[in-house]
Structures are given as structure tokens and as C-alpha cells.
Amino acid sequence: MKFSKEKPPNWSRLEKVFNVEWGGSLVVAYGDTIHHTNPIDPSTVIHEGVHLLRQEDPEQWWERYIRDSRFRFEEEILAYREQYKFLKATIKDRNQLARMLWKLASDLSDPKMYNLPFSHGECMKLIKMMK
């Protein structure tokens, strides 16, 4: 796993499809590299690491991720569950853990971020479901 502050190879497509801007809290996993401009916390590395492991062919994975909202949802749920599992193992304060789950569900349910048809409450339940 590598880290880069450079835009990923598929940036122009992501920018167009998701209407995102490079920088801030945006993080993109592509191939063997996590692309970001700001420091990222260990739980985000876990999340993006899931995406990296599942990208045998990054171009094909990203094409499907962009085109197929069901696939995008399934990939994100896998990553958010692993992120939450990591947080659950490292955060002992249950109130802090609840705040982190709230934030994860807020991100997953944000229509600007993933454009998925799930409410915040549904996302909280789905993230907590461990397989």
C-alpha cells in the first residue's frame, strides 16, 4: 500500500461523474495507492485498504463502481464495516464510538458523496451488521 498526494489516474472521470473537487477530506483508492491531500486517520486507511484489496483490475473495478450503484453500495458497506470493526476494537468510550458510527453513517448516506438511496438510520444499521 502506497500513499500519494497526487490525483488518481481516473480523476477526470470521478470529477465529472461525482462532481467532486480534489482536496479536503476526499480520499481515493486506486490500484495499490491511497490518494489524498490531507492526513488520514488509521480507520480511513483500513476503509481504503478494503477497496485496494478488491481491485484486481483498478480500471474495471472503478468503471463498475461508477456505473453500478448496487456494486458501489456493496463495496462501500464492506469498507465501512471493516472501518467500524477497527474503531470498535480501538475506541473504548462507547459515546465516542457512537459518534464515530454516526459520522460513518452520515458519510454513507450523503447523496453528494455516494448517491445511494439509504437513510442515515439504515446506514447505521447496515454498518453495524458484522459478517
Side-chain angles (χ1 to χ4, degrees), residues 9-14 16-18 28-31 51 54-73 75:
N10 62 341
W11 177 250
S12 62
R13 183 88 195 276
L14 296 177
K16 184 183 296 183
V17 172
F18 293 107
V28 177
Y30 189 97
H51 294 320
R54 298 185 56 78
Q55 292 180 22
E56 287 183 34
D57 180 331
E59 287 183 36
Q60 285 183 353
W61 187 92
W62 271 104
E63 189 55 40
R64 188 168 176 203
Y65 184 94
I66 289 168
R67 199 176 15 83
D68 183 346
S69 63
R70 180 71 186 174
F71 177 76
R72 184 167 56 251
F73 168 73
E75 293 297 305

Side-chain angles (χ1 to χ4, degrees), residues 17-29:
V17 172
F18 293 107
N19 194 30
V20 290
E21 294 180 16
W22 186 243
S25 62
L26 184 68
V27 180
V28 177

